[in-house]
């Protein structure tokens, strides 16, 4: 047992603090930090959102952070070693920014392709999610920074997320939705976040699921932190397994919790347990007493700039090549004279999804930048967006605006009281919203003003706007062009931060003309403090922009079309209304592919989109939200410096409806997980339906023949086994293949999916080379949760073992028998609970 694992003595809690101080400790200290307790040598534990980076305690573009590929891209790599290294990078980032605890990874599953936060979750499969999640946790915590497995549990979608009740039967909970959290606990995770939603009638911050299986059966000894604002009761939550109410100070806890404890309505022992867990967490991250935080170098993590090559590699490793007709990819730069880079996501890099997961990277490589940098000077790279997809306006940027007070690029911001006295002012690099230091007293705040001088780089009708709720106005050279009132449109807590209402007005400007802009917002209580000044440049007509892009495609040797969604379409607090690409992108792809047969389509999204043009484009590559180095990673793949290493972590539907495409809309507040165990590809298999692309699919640049498989004929009940599969690389390049093992159980006495993922391993081979993949199948993959006996059982008899490159393509088969006789119980490999013979 290491020092940090030593249990904290009971006396330290009972003797050291009175009830009020204990209650204060567990009730949060600020938006992203806990309270300290000098008497204990305890400093505040600082938290920050992830999972793609460490944003820090506030939302401020000057507080930059590395932006890693989104979790879907991480999972698409099916590469635990890589994800563990990314976790170590995040640990170094956290230490650099004084953060002790990252609010990540997100272990909810892709139940519906419409779910707004799928980009932030790894996969539709519990095994893949558990393994990739465990790797992320190992990497992060190896650097001394707490990981937080979230959102426990049943938060698979955003519609009515604060109140919805997920109705999930016990077996499905155990085998599907709890399984990744169990893997996280086995990986030693230090924190778990309880979700906003309820499960089976109980809000998750008051749920018995926090006790069993989490703290009891699984032995989780860390902290359960509430999702932000999810503790909504004193007694029910106080007595339940949630240990820390965030953000703080939480009004329902604090003194009210202390009072409930004194009155005997919440057991003192429950409060003590929360405090003990919090102190254990503090000790683990170096926030208690003499304990020093584990340094980034001790963790082996690369700080800041040094990590960029790894992020670039990760972007390529997660890219999934869906189609490559006629071997169009990789493109040979030596054969290119002119390349057209088309699409709304080509120059405007869409590197991440929206919501609390977003960060501000110091630099971003767009697909256009990456392609330009990868090609020799003689190659002409031309760009046209073709269509526009943005639904929100752009903050004025430093390139076009001057702070009228300092003369430097940027915006001058003033916070005023009702009498016009300046309470606070700041010079900002752009018109983007930001957070004011919590120590600034803004109790008398009445309004906020943003002032800048914009020099129009292009002539035409500019759209200027003010983001923020309540009364907003805008003056251009002293003339009022906007005077409006913006009502709130959602009561979701992230709404005020991330996507509040905006109002816009048009102003005609000549090229090079300067205009002084003054935006004003009157701040009302409960409306948040977000205010931004936006400027969108004039555009040609949609027809002109479209035609220009197609013309560009026609004259090029090769075309790369980058289409997709953005942080505006895939975000927190809402689900997607459609899987269609926004803004006429489908028509753009079809027209471009028709104009030039050498067209590569890059899909830049966090989750599935419909691709009606899929048969028209020769190459289709999924780049996900690839993080800040995405453009370079993409160029590496396009020009063959890296293999697109990804395999689909979720099934891609061909249409937005059908038996296996689940929606996210609760009925009378209840979202029934009626499909039971048949999530994702299992649902497609059950329905006998063919998706656009199966879970696990991805071509890479290799070509593989699956030759033979070997498994033990018979195993003891409760045991796992090893699958040995022999493959040959029949392609012309060195390549990596992700060999997937699925199990099936014909004639099962218990209901089961048609087949389910039981293990995977990657192999690498040179052209012509034969390799053996060894895939471990853990006992749990053979087990089912017996609701009657309340334990894991392995059904005796024969399981079919299927091996292949995706769930829809399993060329090799074998059989393994779980023996009739043998030990009744086996502990299985370390970290896995017992499985009994059934
Ligand atoms: C999100 C969490 C996040 C928290 C803090 C919540 O709205 O659901 O994932 O960690 O906010 O930003």
């Amino acid at each position: 047992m290491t020092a940090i694992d030593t249990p904290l003595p009971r006396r330290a809690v009972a003797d050291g603090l009175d009830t009020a101080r204990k209650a204060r400790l567990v009730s949060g200290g600020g938006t992203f930090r806990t309270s300290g307790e000098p008497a204990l040598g305890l400093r505040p534990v600082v938290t920050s959102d992830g999972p793609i980076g460490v944003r820090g305690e506030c939302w401020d573009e000057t507080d930059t952070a590395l932006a890693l590929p989104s979790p879907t891209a991480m999972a698409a790599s099916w590469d635990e070693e890589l994800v563990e290294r990314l976790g170590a990078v995040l640990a170094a980032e956290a230490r650099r920014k004084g953060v002790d605890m990252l609010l990540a990874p997100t272990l909810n599953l892709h139940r519906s392709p419409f779910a707004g936060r799928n980009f932030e979750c790894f996969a539709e499969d519990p095994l893949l999610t558990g393994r990739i999640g465990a790797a992320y946790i190992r990497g992060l915590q190896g650097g001394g920074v707490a990981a937080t497995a979230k959102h426990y549990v049943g938060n698979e979608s955003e519609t009515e997320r604060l109140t919805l009740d997920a109705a999930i039967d016990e077996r499905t909970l155990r085998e599907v939705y709890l399984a990744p959290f169990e893997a996280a606990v086995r990986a030693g995770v230090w924190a778990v976040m309880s979700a906003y939603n309820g499960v089976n009638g109980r809000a998750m911050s008051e749920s018995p699921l926090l006790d069993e299986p989490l703290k009891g059966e699984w032995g989780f000894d860390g902290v359960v932190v509430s999702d932000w604002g999810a503790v909504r009761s004193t007694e029910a939550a106080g007595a339940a397994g949630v240990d820390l109410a965030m953000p703080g100070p939480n009004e329902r806890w604090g003194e009210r919790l202390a009072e409930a404890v004194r009155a005997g309505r919440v057991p003192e022992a429950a409060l003590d347990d929360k405090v003990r867990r919090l102190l254990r967490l503090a000790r683990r991250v170096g926030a208690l007493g003499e304990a020093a935080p584990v340094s980034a170098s001790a963790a082996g993590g690369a700080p800041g700039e040094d990590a960029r090559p790894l992020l670039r590699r990760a972007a390529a490793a997660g890219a999934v090549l869906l189609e490559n007709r006629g071997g169009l990819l990789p493109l040979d730069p030596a054969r290119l004279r002119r390349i057209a880079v088309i699409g709304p996501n080509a120059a405007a890099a869409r590197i991440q999804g929206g919501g609390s997961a977003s960060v501000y990277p110091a630099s971003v490589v767009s697909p256009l930048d990456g392609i330009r940098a990868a090609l020799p000077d003689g190659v002409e790279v031309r760009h046209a967006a073709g269509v526009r997809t943005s639904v929100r306006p752009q903050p004025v940027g430093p390139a076009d605006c001057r702070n009228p007070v300092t003369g430097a690029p940027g915006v001058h911001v003033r916070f005023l009281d009702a009498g016009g006295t300046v309470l606070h002012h700041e010079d900002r690099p752009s018109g983007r919203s930001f957070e004011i230091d919590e120590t600034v007293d803004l109790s008398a705040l009445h309004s906020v003003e943003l002032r800048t001088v914009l020099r129009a780089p292009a002539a035409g009708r500019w759209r200027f706007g003010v983001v923020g709720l309540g009364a907003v106005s805008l003056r251009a050279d002293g003339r009022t062009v906007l005077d409006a009132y913006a009502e709130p449109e959602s009561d979701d807590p992230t709404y005020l931060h991330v996507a509040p209402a905006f109002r816009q007005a048009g102003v005609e400007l000549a090229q090079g003309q300067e205009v002084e802009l003054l935006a004003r917002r009157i701040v009302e209580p409960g409306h948040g403090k977000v205010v931004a000044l936006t400027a969108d440049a004039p555009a040609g007509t949609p027809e002109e922009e479209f035609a220009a892009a197609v013309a560009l495609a026609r004259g090029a040797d090769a075309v790369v079309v980058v289409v997709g969604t953005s942080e505006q379409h895939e975000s927190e607090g809402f689900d997607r209304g459609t899987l269609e690409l926004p803004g006429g992108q489908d028509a753009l792809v079809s027209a471009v592919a028709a104009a030039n047969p050498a067209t590569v389509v890059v899909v830049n999204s966090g989750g599935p989109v419909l691709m009606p043009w899929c048969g028209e484009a020769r190459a289709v590559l999924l780049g996900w939200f690839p993080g800040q180095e995405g453009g370079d990673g993409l160029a590496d793949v396009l020009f063959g410096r890296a293999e697109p290493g990804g395999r689909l972590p979720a099934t891609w539907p061909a249409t937005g409806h059908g038996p296996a495409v689940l929606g996210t809309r609760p009925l009378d507040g209840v979202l029934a997980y009626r499909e039971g165990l048949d999530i994702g590809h299992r649902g497609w298999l059950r329905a006998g339906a063919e998706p656009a692309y199966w879970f696990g699919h991805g071509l890479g640049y290799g070509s593989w023949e699956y030759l033979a498989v070997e498994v033990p004929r018979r195993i003891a009940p409760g045991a796992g086994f090893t699958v040995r599969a022999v493959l040959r690389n029949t392609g012309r390049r060195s390549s990596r293949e992700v060999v997937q093992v699925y199990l099936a159980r014909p004639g099962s006495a218990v209901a089961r999916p048609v087949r389910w993922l039981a293990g995977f391993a990657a192999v690498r081979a040179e052209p012509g080379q034969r390799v053996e993949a060894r895939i471990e199948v853990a006992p749990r993959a053979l087990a089912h949760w017996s609701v009657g006996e309340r334990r894991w059982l392995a059904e005796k008899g024969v399981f079919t073992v299927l091996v292949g490159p995706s769930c829809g393509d399993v060329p090799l088969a074998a059989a393994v028998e779980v023996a009739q006789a043998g030990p009744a119980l086996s502990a299985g490999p370390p970290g896995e609970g017992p499985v009994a013979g059934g």
Side-chain angles (χ1 to χ4, degrees):
M1 199 177 261
T2 62
I4 54 169
D5 287 332
T6 312
L8 290 151
R10 280 180 164 272
R11 290 190 35 185
V13 175
D15 295 351
L17 298 176
D18 59 23
T19 306
R21 289 163 96 188
K22 285 188 282 191
R24 191 179 72 93
L25 268 189
V26 299
S27 303
T31 309
F32 283 104
R33 54 173 56 204
T34 66
S35 291
E37 181 52 75
L40 295 180
L42 173 70
R43 64 164 174 82
V45 172
V46 177
T47 73
S48 162
D49 273 308
I52 66 148
V54 184
R55 191 182 60 243
E57 282 191 87
C58 54
W59 302 68
D60 192 322
E61 65 185 311
T62 63
D63 187 3
T64 59
L66 285 175
L68 279 58
S70 65
T72 12
M74 293 185 196
S77 73
W78 297 58
D79 186 341
E80 290 149 289
E81 202 187 310
L82 173 68
V83 174
E84 192 169 334
R85 290 189 62 193
L86 294 173
V89 167
L90 290 170
E93 277 284 274
R95 286 308 182 204
R96 177 176 75 77
K97 299 186 74 170
V99 166
D100 304 300
M101 172 173 171
L102 196 65
L103 305 172
T106 310
L107 297 183
N108 302 111
L109 301 179
H110 296 205
R111 175 173 176 266
S112 163
F114 291 93
R117 283 177 97 169
N118 276 355
F119 71 90
E120 201 185 317
C121 309
F122 292 117
E124 69 185 15
D125 183 81
L127 178 79
L128 179 60
T129 299
R131 281 177 56 173
I132 296 293
Y136 183 106
I137 291 163
R138 283 195 301 273
L140 183 61
Q141 293 193 170
V145 175
T148 310
K150 73 185 187 183
H151 310 83
Y152 185 87
V153 60
N155 183 192
E156 270 65 42
S157 48
E158 295 295 284
T159 309
E160 297 176 27
R161 69 171 175 154
L162 303 183
T163 53
L164 89 78
D165 186 41
I168 314 176
D169 69 84
E170 182 181 330
R171 186 171 163 212
T172 300
L173 256 179
R174 285 289 191 150
E175 294 187 21
V176 181
Y177 297 98
L178 286 172
F181 289 94
E182 185 178 3
V185 173
R186 306 273 177 239
V189 76
W190 293 343
V192 167
M193 183 187 286
S194 62
Y196 287 122
N197 57 278
V199 171
N200 298 334
R202 299 291 294 277
M204 277 315 302
S205 289
E206 301 171 5
S207 169
L209 289 166
L210 299 173
D211 300 316
E212 292 297 345
L214 179 64
K215 290 182 174 178
E217 185 187 320
W218 297 348
F220 172 64
D221 68 355
V223 162
V224 175
V225 57
S226 74
D227 200 340
W228 264 228
V231 162
R232 291 171 285 211
S233 65
T234 307
E235 284 151 34
V242 61
D243 302 308
L244 173 63
M246 288 297 287
N250 180 296
E251 285 176 8
R252 299 243 165 60
W253 280 21
E255 187 42 41
R256 281 162 87 169
L257 178 59
E259 189 45 47
V261 169
R262 283 187 215 107
R265 296 193 303 272
V266 170
E268 181 106 36
L271 178 58
D272 284 352
D273 187 54
K274 296 181 199 311
V275 173
R276 252 195 310 277
R277 285 170 180 272
L278 186 65
L279 294 181
R280 186 181 292 124
L281 172 74
R283 183 180 287 187
R284 283 172 163 161
V285 299
L288 183 64
E290 300 302 303
V294 177
S295 74
S297 54
E305 286 293 297
D306 302 354
R308 290 180 60 188
L310 181 67
L311 271 49
R312 174 177 184 159
R313 180 157 89 71
V320 179
L321 184 59
L322 292 179
E323 299 288 352
N324 195 14
R325 299 182 180 104
L328 177 62
L329 285 178
L331 299 170
D332 180 356
R335 291 168 179 241
L336 297 176
R337 278 170 302 112
R338 178 187 292 179
I339 183 167
V341 184
I342 289 173
N345 291 20
R350 303 299 192 179
I351 63 155
Q352 58 182 330
S356 61
S358 50
V359 301
Y360 296 107
S363 64
V364 165
V365 185
S366 71
L368 184 60
D369 297 335
I371 290 168
R372 280 213 167 105
L375 290 172
D377 280 350
V379 183
E380 189 187 343
V381 181
R382 297 186 61 190
H383 165 65
V387 298
R388 286 172 187 247
T389 58
S390 246
V391 286
R392 291 188 67 82
Q394 292 301 308
V396 286
D400 303 329
C401 70
R402 186 178 79 235
N403 181 324
V405 175
T406 64
V411 174
H412 185 69
V413 187
R414 301 199 304 166
F415 295 78
L416 308 165
D417 71 10
T421 305
V422 179
L423 303 171
H424 178 69
H425 64 90
E426 280 194 35
D427 297 307
R428 305 288 309 174
S430 79
R432 194 185 294 280
S433 184
F434 64 98
E435 269 176 9
I436 307 106
D437 189 326
E438 279 182 5
T439 58
V440 177
D441 181 9
L442 290 178
S443 48
L445 180 66
H446 170 262
S447 58
V448 186
E449 281 180 5
L450 291 85
R451 214 146 53 92
T452 195
V453 177
L454 179 119
R455 188 183 172 83
R461 193 168 178 75
W462 283 72
R463 307 269 308 153
F464 297 121
V466 186
V467 179
L469 299 186
V472 290
S473 64
L474 182 70
R475 283 202 261 166
D477 284 339
R479 184 170 64 92
T480 299
V481 294
L482 179 71
D483 190 2
Y485 192 90
E487 299 278 357
E489 297 145 327
S490 163
D491 55 7
D492 192 278
T494 52
Y495 166 78
L496 290 179
H497 263 301
V498 174
F502 58 88
R503 295 290 181 269
Q504 285 176 294
V507 176
E508 204 71 41
L509 294 177
Q511 189 178 8
Q513 186 181 339
E514 288 201 340
V515 60
E516 172 146 5
L517 300 170
L518 172 63
R520 189 149 187 261
R521 179 188 160 207
I522 297 177
V523 183
E524 293 173 38
H527 277 181
K529 295 196 184 69
V530 163
V531 55
L533 170 57
T534 65
D536 287 86
T541 67
E543 294 74 23
E544 284 163 3
E545 294 204 2
F546 193 96
V550 178
L552 206 61
R554 206 168 282 126
D557 300 323
V559 185
V560 179
V561 195
V562 190
V563 290
T565 61
S566 75
E567 74 292 345
Q568 300 172 14
H569 307 97
E570 296 188 62
S571 185
E572 187 174 326
F574 61 90
D575 293 311
R576 293 160 70 194
T578 173
L579 301 181
E580 279 172 29
L581 283 171
Q585 295 181 86
D586 286 337
L588 179 69
V589 174
S590 289
V592 167
N596 192 325
T599 291
V600 179
V601 185
V602 177
V603 178
N604 173 201
S605 68
V609 298
L610 304 182
M611 304 184 297
W613 35 260
C614 214
E616 300 159 30
R618 275 176 60 196
V620 181
L621 180 68
L622 306 184
W624 311 107
F625 289 139
Q628 66 175 64
E629 307 301 318
D632 280 337
L634 173 65
D636 289 343
V637 167
L638 292 174
F639 303 116
R641 282 200 222 117
E643 183 174 32
R647 303 293 184 267
L648 281 178
T651 311
W652 273 46
T655 63
H657 49 80
V661 181
L662 303 174
T664 61
R665 191 155 294 285
L667 192 64
D668 293 331
V670 177
L671 189 61
Y673 285 34
R674 280 207 193 82
E675 70 290 352
L677 304 174
D678 287 328
I679 184 173
H681 54 284
R682 300 172 178 186
W684 288 89
L685 290 163
R686 171 75 58 215
E690 188 75 19
Y693 296 98
W694 285 103
F695 172 77
H697 172 73
L699 296 172
Y701 285 152
S703 163
W704 295 86
E705 197 180 351
Y706 280 66
L707 298 169
V709 59
E710 208 182 290
V711 296
R713 244 180 350 117
R714 181 177 283 206
I715 56 170
F721 64 98
T722 304
V723 178
R724 295 147 74 108
V726 181
L727 292 78
R728 186 174 38 231
N729 179 356
T730 55
R732 289 202 300 264
R733 291 176 57 114
S734 169
S735 178
R736 171 182 178 269
E737 173 76 336
V738 179
V739 182
Q740 300 159 41
V741 170
Y742 296 85
L743 290 181
R745 176 69 190 222
S748 173
V750 288
R752 293 176 188 275
V754 174
R755 60 177 167 269
W756 62 96
L757 184 70
F760 61 90
V763 287
R764 175 167 281 288
E766 299 307 313
Q769 191 188 352
R770 276 164 72 112
V771 280
E772 184 187 89
R774 288 166 146 259
I775 305 108
E776 299 302 330
V777 174
R780 181 59 68 76
L782 293 139
H784 64 275
W785 177 256
S786 164
V787 175
E789 297 189 36
R790 313 218 72 203
R791 62 185 179 136
W792 294 97
L793 293 178
E795 188 187 1
K796 288 167 186 160
V798 177
F799 286 77
T800 307
V801 181
L802 300 158
V803 184
S806 86
C807 160
D809 180 11
V810 279
L812 300 177
V816 65
E817 185 185 353
V818 175
Q820 296 291 332
L825 269 179
S826 147
E832 200 176 277
V835 174

mmCIF file of all heavy atoms in Angstrom, residues 32 49 103 117 120 150-151 161 193 196 227-228 356 494 572, ligand 1:
data_model
loop_
_atom_site.group_PDB
_atom_site.id
_atom_site.type_symbol
_atom_site.label_atom_id
_atom_site.label_comp_id
_atom_site.label_asym_id
_atom_site.label_seq_id
_atom_site.Cartn_x
_atom_site.Cartn_y
_atom_site.Cartn_z
ATOM 1 N N PHE A 32 -15.309 26.177 -9.379
ATOM 2 C CA PHE A 32 -14.546 24.977 -9.736
ATOM 3 C C PHE A 32 -13.563 24.555 -8.645
ATOM 4 O O PHE A 32 -12.608 23.857 -8.939
ATOM 5 C CB PHE A 32 -13.822 25.190 -11.071
ATOM 6 C CG PHE A 32 -14.742 25.063 -12.255
ATOM 7 C CD1 PHE A 32 -15.192 26.195 -12.931
ATOM 8 C CD2 PHE A 32 -15.200 23.829 -12.677
ATOM 9 C CE1 PHE A 32 -16.062 26.083 -14.015
ATOM 10 C CE2 PHE A 32 -16.065 23.701 -13.754
ATOM 11 C CZ PHE A 32 -16.503 24.823 -14.427
ATOM 12 N N ASP A 49 -12.860 21.332 -16.157
ATOM 13 C CA ASP A 49 -13.426 20.445 -17.157
ATOM 14 C C ASP A 49 -12.355 19.908 -18.081
ATOM 15 O O ASP A 49 -11.326 20.518 -18.295
ATOM 16 C CB ASP A 49 -14.505 21.169 -17.971
ATOM 17 C CG ASP A 49 -15.853 21.053 -17.287
ATOM 18 O OD1 ASP A 49 -16.234 19.910 -16.973
ATOM 19 O OD2 ASP A 49 -16.499 22.083 -17.056
ATOM 20 N N LEU A 103 -12.425 16.878 -14.689
ATOM 21 C CA LEU A 103 -13.793 16.355 -14.715
ATOM 22 C C LEU A 103 -13.977 15.529 -15.979
ATOM 23 O O LEU A 103 -14.701 15.884 -16.904
ATOM 24 C CB LEU A 103 -14.787 17.509 -14.613
ATOM 25 C CG LEU A 103 -14.557 18.409 -13.381
ATOM 26 C CD1 LEU A 103 -15.441 19.645 -13.433
ATOM 27 C CD2 LEU A 103 -14.795 17.629 -12.093
ATOM 28 N N ARG A 117 -23.910 15.061 -26.817
ATOM 29 C CA ARG A 117 -22.559 14.969 -26.259
ATOM 30 C C ARG A 117 -21.832 13.694 -26.672
ATOM 31 O O ARG A 117 -20.847 13.318 -26.021
ATOM 32 C CB ARG A 117 -22.610 15.057 -24.728
ATOM 33 C CG ARG A 117 -22.813 16.451 -24.219
ATOM 34 C CD ARG A 117 -22.920 16.470 -22.695
ATOM 35 N NE ARG A 117 -21.661 16.805 -22.055
ATOM 36 C CZ ARG A 117 -21.541 17.093 -20.762
ATOM 37 N NH1 ARG A 117 -22.604 17.057 -19.974
ATOM 38 N NH2 ARG A 117 -20.374 17.398 -20.240
ATOM 39 N N GLU A 120 -18.140 13.636 -26.841
ATOM 40 C CA GLU A 120 -17.431 13.695 -25.570
ATOM 41 C C GLU A 120 -17.363 12.314 -24.906
ATOM 42 O O GLU A 120 -16.668 12.140 -23.905
ATOM 43 C CB GLU A 120 -18.208 14.681 -24.685
ATOM 44 C CG GLU A 120 -17.435 15.259 -23.575
ATOM 45 C CD GLU A 120 -18.314 16.128 -22.677
ATOM 46 O OE1 GLU A 120 -19.141 16.914 -23.189
ATOM 47 O OE2 GLU A 120 -18.160 16.007 -21.453
ATOM 48 N N LYS A 150 -17.495 10.203 -15.392
ATOM 49 C CA LYS A 150 -18.791 10.860 -15.375
ATOM 50 C C LYS A 150 -19.626 10.407 -16.564
ATOM 51 O O LYS A 150 -19.068 9.886 -17.514
ATOM 52 C CB LYS A 150 -18.601 12.383 -15.356
ATOM 53 C CG LYS A 150 -18.133 13.017 -16.668
ATOM 54 C CD LYS A 150 -17.861 14.511 -16.488
ATOM 55 C CE LYS A 150 -17.567 15.185 -17.810
ATOM 56 N NZ LYS A 150 -17.220 16.601 -17.676
ATOM 57 N N HIS A 151 -20.907 10.542 -16.600
ATOM 58 C CA HIS A 151 -21.796 10.992 -15.545
ATOM 59 C C HIS A 151 -22.534 9.760 -15.083
ATOM 60 O O HIS A 151 -23.308 9.196 -15.871
ATOM 61 C CB HIS A 151 -22.775 12.043 -16.058
ATOM 62 C CG HIS A 151 -22.087 13.164 -16.825
ATOM 63 N ND1 HIS A 151 -21.740 13.085 -18.169
ATOM 64 C CD2 HIS A 151 -21.664 14.399 -16.422
ATOM 65 C CE1 HIS A 151 -21.165 14.209 -18.559
ATOM 66 N NE2 HIS A 151 -21.099 15.023 -17.526
ATOM 67 N N ARG A 161 -32.158 16.821 -19.610
ATOM 68 C CA ARG A 161 -31.142 16.079 -18.865
ATOM 69 C C ARG A 161 -31.187 16.312 -17.363
ATOM 70 O O ARG A 161 -30.720 15.499 -16.581
ATOM 71 C CB ARG A 161 -29.751 16.411 -19.391
ATOM 72 C CG ARG A 161 -29.299 17.836 -19.094
ATOM 73 C CD ARG A 161 -27.845 18.001 -19.448
ATOM 74 N NE ARG A 161 -27.420 19.375 -19.279
ATOM 75 C CZ ARG A 161 -26.178 19.740 -19.032
ATOM 76 N NH1 ARG A 161 -25.239 18.845 -18.914
ATOM 77 N NH2 ARG A 161 -25.862 21.011 -18.909
ATOM 78 N N MET A 193 -18.499 11.261 -10.969
ATOM 79 C CA MET A 193 -19.485 12.347 -10.928
ATOM 80 C C MET A 193 -20.892 11.764 -11.065
ATOM 81 O O MET A 193 -21.169 11.019 -12.010
ATOM 82 C CB MET A 193 -19.223 13.349 -12.050
ATOM 83 C CG MET A 193 -20.177 14.550 -12.004
ATOM 84 S SD MET A 193 -20.011 15.637 -13.458
ATOM 85 C CE MET A 193 -18.466 16.448 -13.107
ATOM 86 N N TYR A 196 -27.002 14.407 -13.529
ATOM 87 C CA TYR A 196 -28.199 15.201 -13.220
ATOM 88 C C TYR A 196 -29.452 14.332 -13.198
ATOM 89 O O TYR A 196 -30.345 14.514 -12.381
ATOM 90 C CB TYR A 196 -28.433 16.244 -14.320
ATOM 91 C CG TYR A 196 -27.477 17.416 -14.351
ATOM 92 C CD1 TYR A 196 -26.719 17.686 -15.475
ATOM 93 C CD2 TYR A 196 -27.388 18.282 -13.259
ATOM 94 C CE1 TYR A 196 -25.872 18.782 -15.527
ATOM 95 C CE2 TYR A 196 -26.540 19.379 -13.306
ATOM 96 C CZ TYR A 196 -25.780 19.619 -14.441
ATOM 97 O OH TYR A 196 -24.960 20.708 -14.487
ATOM 98 N N ASP A 227 -22.748 16.362 -10.362
ATOM 99 C CA ASP A 227 -22.660 17.236 -11.519
ATOM 100 C C ASP A 227 -23.035 18.647 -11.037
ATOM 101 O O ASP A 227 -23.671 18.812 -9.988
ATOM 102 C CB ASP A 227 -23.553 16.779 -12.679
ATOM 103 C CG ASP A 227 -23.091 17.382 -14.015
ATOM 104 O OD1 ASP A 227 -22.364 18.401 -13.986
ATOM 105 O OD2 ASP A 227 -23.455 16.864 -15.070
ATOM 106 N N TRP A 228 -22.653 19.649 -11.808
ATOM 107 C CA TRP A 228 -22.745 21.037 -11.331
ATOM 108 C C TRP A 228 -24.213 21.454 -11.091
ATOM 109 O O TRP A 228 -24.982 21.604 -12.026
ATOM 110 C CB TRP A 228 -22.016 21.949 -12.299
ATOM 111 C CG TRP A 228 -20.603 22.248 -11.894
ATOM 112 C CD1 TRP A 228 -20.034 23.490 -11.858
ATOM 113 C CD2 TRP A 228 -19.584 21.347 -11.439
ATOM 114 N NE1 TRP A 228 -18.736 23.401 -11.396
ATOM 115 C CE2 TRP A 228 -18.436 22.104 -11.124
ATOM 116 C CE3 TRP A 228 -19.527 19.967 -11.206
ATOM 117 C CZ2 TRP A 228 -17.253 21.540 -10.630
ATOM 118 C CZ3 TRP A 228 -18.355 19.404 -10.721
ATOM 119 C CH2 TRP A 228 -17.250 20.187 -10.446
ATOM 120 N N SER A 356 -19.353 22.444 -21.825
ATOM 121 C CA SER A 356 -18.336 22.535 -20.778
ATOM 122 C C SER A 356 -17.031 21.872 -21.193
ATOM 123 O O SER A 356 -15.987 22.136 -20.606
ATOM 124 C CB SER A 356 -18.847 21.901 -19.488
ATOM 125 O OG SER A 356 -19.126 20.533 -19.680
ATOM 126 N N THR A 494 -25.705 25.237 -18.514
ATOM 127 C CA THR A 494 -24.633 25.630 -19.435
ATOM 128 C C THR A 494 -25.109 26.663 -20.454
ATOM 129 O O THR A 494 -24.296 27.311 -21.100
ATOM 130 C CB THR A 494 -24.076 24.435 -20.236
ATOM 131 O OG1 THR A 494 -25.171 23.777 -20.836
ATOM 132 C CG2 THR A 494 -23.302 23.507 -19.368
ATOM 133 N N GLU A 572 -23.559 20.582 -25.451
ATOM 134 C CA GLU A 572 -24.173 20.147 -24.201
ATOM 135 C C GLU A 572 -25.522 20.831 -24.015
ATOM 136 O O GLU A 572 -25.721 21.956 -24.450
ATOM 137 C CB GLU A 572 -23.216 20.572 -23.091
ATOM 138 C CG GLU A 572 -23.581 20.080 -21.737
ATOM 139 C CD GLU A 572 -22.483 20.453 -20.748
ATOM 140 O OE1 GLU A 572 -21.296 20.480 -21.120
ATOM 141 O OE2 GLU A 572 -22.838 20.729 -19.599
HETATM 142 C C1 LIG B 1 -21.649 19.082 -17.147
HETATM 143 C C2 LIG B 1 -20.424 18.379 -16.595
HETATM 144 C C3 LIG B 1 -19.352 19.393 -16.284
HETATM 145 C C4 LIG B 1 -19.922 20.424 -15.316
HETATM 146 C C5 LIG B 1 -18.933 21.496 -14.917
HETATM 147 C C6 LIG B 1 -22.101 20.212 -16.248
HETATM 148 O O1 LIG B 1 -23.120 20.961 -16.840
HETATM 149 O O2 LIG B 1 -22.686 18.140 -17.307
HETATM 150 O O3 LIG B 1 -19.940 17.430 -17.497
HETATM 151 O O4 LIG B 1 -18.224 18.763 -15.745
HETATM 152 O O5 LIG B 1 -21.032 21.056 -15.923
HETATM 153 O O6 LIG B 1 -18.687 22.358 -15.974
#
